[in-house]
Amino acid sequence: MTRKRPGLPARSLSAERFLELSHIAVAPSESSHRNIYDSLRAAGLRRRIALQVPHFTVTPQILQRTDWMVTLPRRVAQAFNQHGQFTVYPLPVKIPEVEVTVHWHESFDK
């Protein structure tokens, strides 16, 4: 996912173009982010990391102000793109499905 702007294709990115762009990396401490990271590396895709963040929830605000991109689970990217300000691309390689986890404080269980 990246901010919509002139000069980018509308539907898909080649692996070469994907690697040319600077990326936000979500710290791979959780299993789903580690799976994405490992799968891209196994496919020979070594992204140019501009910034590493601890969680993907901050990425829309960063993308709105940069030309960077981020690799997220598709449903998360679609939720972030409710107003259409981003372009959501499929990855240029197939990777295994990843499990997305949700964290909350126990006080929200009441």
Side-chain angles (χ1 to χ4, degrees):
M1 181 172 86
T2 189
R3 179 178 58 84
K4 281 188 178 176
R5 58 190 183 277
L8 289 178
R11 298 191 189 271
S12 65
L13 288 176
S14 66
E16 294 79 20
R17 186 67 174 124
F18 178 81
L19 295 176
E20 287 173 2
L21 296 169
S22 294
H23 293 252
I24 300 171
V26 178
S29 59
E30 294 181 40
S31 62
S32 61
H33 300 298
R34 170 60 67 190
N35 290 342
I36 291 170
Y37 178 83
D38 290 345
S39 295
L40 291 173
R41 289 187 63 87
L45 299 180
R46 302 228 180 343
R47 298 172 293 167
R48 180 183 311 169
I49 304 301
L51 178 68
Q52 184 165 323
V53 296
H55 199 269
F56 59 76
T57 56
V58 299
T59 59
Q61 294 82 9
I62 297 167
L63 292 178
Q64 289 173 342
R65 293 166 178 81
T66 67
D67 288 342
W68 300 344
M69 71 179 317
V70 66
T71 300
L72 301 167
R74 176 166 291 283
R75 287 187 179 175
V76 173
Q78 290 170 336
F80 286 158
N81 195 35
Q82 290 179 0
H83 300 291
Q85 69 273 36
F86 301 111
T87 300
V88 177
Y89 293 110
L91 285 174
V93 296
K94 294 227 182 250
I95 66 169
E97 284 191 28
V98 296
E99 178 180 297
V100 176
T101 57
V102 178
H103 306 269
W104 64 89
H105 192 273
E106 65 185 32
S107 65
F108 289 103
D109 286 339
K110 296 177 182 177

